[in-house]
Amino acid sequence: MSRKKPDIYEQEKQRRWEAYHRSPLLKEKYPKVTDLMVKMSFKDYDGGSNPEPRQEKYSPESKAFFKIACPHRECVSGGFDLSSAIDKLVTSRLGKLDGTITCQGWQDKERINKHRCFLELNYAISAKYKNDS
């Protein structure tokens, strides 16, 4: 009996799950952070409907995993990595940081190497820190 080849979407889901579980806790990566909030809104310039805005809240016990999956379910190898933005926010000890990232994944598995997703993520990240007294 031959094994069925894993679906590209299942492979991506497995890689995300493994990366999430390898991530340290927020309190280990950023010991001075007591609260981290990421507010996100999306803009689809390709004529589709915009995914619903969302937010993620991180406590010291949360995983420091800041790779947001593309909300377009058929997007392949896409998503948004907020790791460098959060690192900049925390290392500079800023209270808030805004920015935009564009998904570089492929629109779907039939259009790999032909048509990018290009969904735009607008983010507002805020952090609270322990007092240094």
Side-chain angles (χ1 to χ4, degrees):
M1 187 185 302
S2 65
R3 289 187 64 170
K4 183 180 172 186
K5 185 178 178 185
D7 180 73
I8 192 165
Y9 298 111
E10 282 300 314
Q11 291 173 338
E12 284 191 16
K13 185 178 175 182
Q14 181 67 27
R15 280 194 293 272
R16 286 186 59 74
W17 183 86
E18 290 169 1
Y20 172 82
H21 285 284
R22 283 192 310 269
S23 297
L25 296 176
L26 186 68
K27 67 182 180 182
E28 296 166 347
K29 184 164 177 85
Y30 300 119
K32 300 265 184 197
V33 175
T34 60
D35 187 53
L36 189 68
M37 176 72 73
V38 180
K39 293 182 180 179
M40 299 168 270
S41 62
F42 302 92
K43 179 71 177 159
D44 187 349
Y45 291 102
D46 206 22
S49 62
N50 295 327
E52 288 293 317
R54 61 185 258 214
Q55 62 183 27
E56 297 284 335
K57 183 174 180 173
Y58 299 85
S59 72
E61 299 299 322
S62 301
K63 289 283 195 173
F65 184 74
F66 309 116
K67 295 178 180 166
I68 308 300
C70 181
H72 285 165
R73 291 181 12 175
E74 293 192 4
C75 179
V76 177
S77 299
F80 310 93
D81 189 351
L82 296 173
S83 301
S84 60
I86 290 172
D87 196 53
K88 177 181 178 180
L89 174 91
V90 174
T91 57
S92 300
R93 206 163 164 101
L94 300 171
K96 187 175 180 187
L97 182 67
D98 299 322
T100 301
I101 302 177
T102 302
C103 180
Q104 296 298 309
W106 302 103
Q107 195 168 42
D108 54 45
K109 65 183 178 182
E110 286 78 31
R111 294 185 241 194
I112 292 175
N113 296 322
K114 295 176 188 161
H115 195 275
R116 295 268 183 203
C117 176
F118 290 137
L119 181 68
E120 184 178 275
L121 165 69
N122 295 297
Y123 61 84
I125 308 167
S126 58
K128 294 180 183 170
Y129 303 92
K130 290 180 183 175
N131 291 333
D132 285 329
S133 47

